[in-house]
Every structure is written in structure tokens, then in C-alpha cells.
Amino acid sequence: MKAQVFRGVNQLSYEEIPVPTLEPDEVLVKVQVVGLCQSDIKKIRYPLYEPPRIFGHETAGTIASVGDNVKNWQVGQRVAVMHHIPCMRCAYCLNENYSMCDVYKNISTTAGFNASGGGFAEYVKVPGHIVQNGGLIPIPDDISFEEASFVEPTNCCLKAVKKAQIAPGQTVLITGAGPIGLMFIMLVKYFGGRAIATDLLPSRIEKALNVGAEAAFDARDAELSAKIHAITDGLGVDVTLLAVPSEKAFFQALDCTRKGGKILFFAEFPDEVQIPINPNLLYRREIDLMGSYSSSYRLQNLSADIVFNRRIDVEALISDRYPLQNLSQAVEQAIAPTAETYKILIYP
Ligand SMILES: [Zn+2]
Ligand SMILES: [Zn+2]
């Protein structure tokens, strides 16, 4: 089969490799579509993981074969694939910090080499632990593979929305209106909040308004804080979701978030970044700083419900489609987005 193998920083190699062989409790999925995620791009561009690996984790496909002991799944079923499932027993899981679980981190779907998602290949193997514990989600007949590939990223965004306890009527500033920021806008609206977005690209500012933001501003606007205070009764927003790894966005968030509000780090910063902060800002204004990484097992059904019942319009997020062979080009486009670049989908 063909796969895009990560051979080193910025080195993707389109290679012929063996189709994974199955243990009795495993399932093989023929990948129909896989979303290109910011985290894939980081893993390709920075020396975070030893090569060789095959990334890609927002996978939807068709079951191509099942191990001898797998009774609940049949060849031909359409599924969204979760690349991690927590153990549900460790101290982290019992505290609902599923994405900190060692099993969650270490057992992953794979197309070969060190297991790393494996969606950037024609076939991906799903380990027994993931098969048995809810990691295969059946796709309803009227839902496309493309839509189904959004279940995983929806879960990641939903986890952040839940962690920040965004409630009906609350105002939420979303910094960055790329594919993640736009999904945040949709989810905040779905949960009854009022989304306000910032971005640098005029096209994204407009797109933010199109998908449901109540207001959207240029992040460089010198009056940004004043404008946001003007539409939040002079208070500032209840919550800011940082969807870009920008120090400047963080300091804007401090200016624009109300006393007693929350600022959630969603985008991953480069490791060398340090942000100096006066602790009294947090003490006197009681601002909560929090982070949210990856998805939550507990939100899996809700994520599937949101995507499969079209409670948010994930198709509005899709801007580009690339064959697997041209993954490098897709990554280039994501790094240097055109005015109309949002979610990029990859087809083996
Ligand atoms: Zn992702
Ligand atoms: Zn665990």
C-alpha cells in the first residue's frame, strides 16, 4: 500500500509499504479520508518525534478486515476511527484527565513503524484496546466520510468548551479564525454563547461572521479591547479561547477578559516561548488560566451527535482536498494559508 512516511523534519516520503497484519483482536480500516490537523503539521515540521512514523489521526474509512476474535464488527462497515482510547482505570482517568493517561498516549492506531495515528496511508490498523473500548464509531448512512472525519477534531474543541464551562448567554473571545477557531465559533453558538473572533486575514474575519460570530475584528486593531468592552457591557468577555500560539493574543486576552473570567490555551506554542506575567493580574482580577489538549473519552458520544446530526456545519470548514501523494503540498498550504484556506482533507 502507499503511505506518507515521516522520515525526518520536513521530510515526508510517499512510499510503498506492507499493509499491516492483524492480531486476532485487531481491525483493519481502509482510509477514505483523513483531516490534516495542526498537530500533524507540528509533528512534521519540528523535531518532536523520532522517525520513521506515519501521522494522520482524523480518520474515516471502511472496515477492510477483522481479526479472528473480533465479533462485533464486519467488513464493509463505515467508521470514524479514534486514534487513542484511555484505560479508564488509572489515577488520571479516574479524575477525567483522559488525555494524560499513559495507555491513551501509548496505544495508537498505526499504518506501520512507531504507532502514530497512521491515517496518512491507504490502510490503518486499529489495536484491540481501541476496538474493544469504543474507538470505532459507526457512521450513519446519510453522513459522508468527510463529515465523519470531523468527529475527532470536534471532540478536541468540545473538550475545551466544556473545560471553560461556557454557558448560555456568555461571551467568548476566540483568537484566530482558522479551522479550529471557526469550529469554536460554531460550538460556542451551539451551546448558547456569543462568539467574538479575531484574525489577521480579512477573509477569515468575514468567514467568522458567516459561521456565527456576533462580531469579528482584525487582531491588530488598536481599539480591540475598547470594542470588545463596548459589546460586553463594559466587562470584557467571560472566556477567551486562544486558538493561535501568539503571545500577543494572550496579552490581548488579558485585556479583553472580564474579572473572574477564564483564558484557555488551546493552540500549542513553540517550546522556546516564555510568557512573563505579573501574578497579581491573576490574583486581583481572579483570571483563571487553563489548557486543553486533545479529546475527552466522555465527550465522544456528544461529538458524534454534533457531527452526525449536523448541529454544526462542518462542511463549511472544508476548503481544500489533496490526494495523499501531495501531502507535502497540503502542509505548505496550511502553513501559508491563502485567503480561502480552512480545513484541508487528504485522500489516499
Ligand atoms: Zn486533530
Ligand atoms: Zn488511564
Side-chain angles (χ1 to χ4, degrees):
M1 68 171 183
K2 291 288 192 209
Q4 283 283 6
V5 184
F6 168 75
R7 290 282 178 192
V9 171
N10 279 323
Q11 288 173 48
L12 284 171
S13 143
Y14 189 56
E15 296 178 16
E16 185 71 32
I17 60 164
V19 175
T21 51
L22 293 185
E23 297 296 319
D25 61 348
E26 294 181 328
V27 166
L28 188 71
V29 173
K30 182 173 173 29
V31 180
Q32 301 287 352
V33 59
V34 56
L36 176 61
C37 176
Q38 275 305 321
S39 69
D40 296 318
I41 294 167
K42 257 172 265 150
K43 290 169 197 167
I44 292 164
R45 294 187 72 213
Y46 299 105
L48 302 171
Y49 294 93
E50 277 296 301
R53 286 170 189 268
I54 299 170
F55 298 124
H57 59 270
E58 299 176 0
T59 305
T62 314
I63 294 182
S65 63
V66 301
D68 291 341
N69 296 345
V70 175
K71 302 295 173 216
N72 297 333
W73 297 96
Q74 281 86 43
V75 171
Q77 272 183 285
R78 302 162 76 240
V79 287
V81 182
M82 298 298 106
H83 61 308
H84 298 301
I85 289 287
C87 78
M88 308 303 287
R89 291 173 183 80
C90 72
Y92 293 118
C93 286
L94 294 176
N95 282 294
E96 295 188 24
N97 300 129
Y98 304 115
S99 51
M100 299 295 119
C101 166
D102 284 337
V103 168
Y104 182 90
K105 286 180 191 286
N106 294 328
I107 298 182
S108 173
T109 51
T110 181
F113 310 109
N114 288 318
S116 295
F120 296 145
E122 283 183 82
Y123 292 90
V124 64
K125 181 172 87 158
V126 185
H129 168 71
I130 294 179
V131 173
Q132 285 146 30
N133 294 293
L136 291 175
I137 303 174
I139 303 172
D141 289 344
D142 64 330
I143 295 296
S144 66
F145 289 113
E146 292 188 344
E147 292 173 284
S149 72
F150 282 88
V151 172
E152 196 273 345
T154 298
N155 190 324
C156 296
C157 292
L158 186 57
K159 176 179 159 182
V161 166
K162 291 285 182 186
K163 190 161 180 182
Q165 296 177 301
I166 292 168
Q170 287 196 326
T171 49
V172 182
L173 172 62
I174 293 142
T175 65
I180 290 294
L182 294 172
M183 185 177 271
F184 273 137
I185 293 167
M186 293 176 176
L187 287 172
V188 164
K189 198 174 170 212
Y190 176 59
F191 286 102
R194 299 162 55 202
I196 301 165
T198 59
D199 204 277
L200 299 172
L201 293 175
S203 54
R204 289 189 170 190
I205 293 168
E206 191 170 328
K207 181 88 171 173
L209 295 168
N210 290 339
V211 304
E214 189 176 290
F217 302 108
D218 190 311
R220 291 159 296 203
D221 189 334
E223 306 293 308
L224 180 68
S225 173
K227 286 179 180 175
I228 286 176
H229 280 81
I231 53 176
T232 54
D233 296 329
L235 294 171
V237 295
D238 296 294
V239 176
T240 297
L241 301 172
L242 291 173
V244 284
S246 150
E247 283 169 80
K248 216 174 156 207
F250 170 69
F251 287 110
Q252 282 178 334
L254 275 180
D255 285 342
C256 296
T257 305
R258 71 165 167 83
K259 289 178 237 174
K262 303 183 179 84
I263 299 174
L264 183 141
F265 286 82
F266 189 82
E268 185 173 9
F269 281 69
D271 271 333
E272 60 274 17
V273 173
Q274 304 281 335
I275 299 183
I277 181 167
N278 178 339
N280 283 336
L281 275 173
L282 308 184
Y283 174 72
R284 292 185 190 132
R285 291 178 54 205
E286 290 193 348
I287 301 261
D288 287 339
L289 299 184
M290 50 179 62
S292 184
Y293 150 78
S294 196
S295 62
S296 165
Y297 182 74
R298 276 197 54 182
L299 295 171
Q300 197 160 295
N301 284 350
L302 183 54
S303 309
D305 173 275
I306 286 172
V307 174
F308 294 159
N309 290 299
R310 302 197 172 105
R311 303 193 196 284
I312 64 172
D313 180 11
V314 295
E315 278 185 332
L317 300 173
I318 304 169
S319 64
D320 295 271
R321 298 167 170 86
Y322 280 88
L324 180 61
Q325 189 169 359
N326 298 343
L327 179 61
S328 300
Q329 241 178 292
V331 171
E332 290 303 318
Q333 189 186 336
I335 296 164
T338 67
E340 295 303 325
T341 304
Y342 300 103
K343 187 70 177 184
I344 300 175
L345 301 181
I346 307 294
Y347 296 77

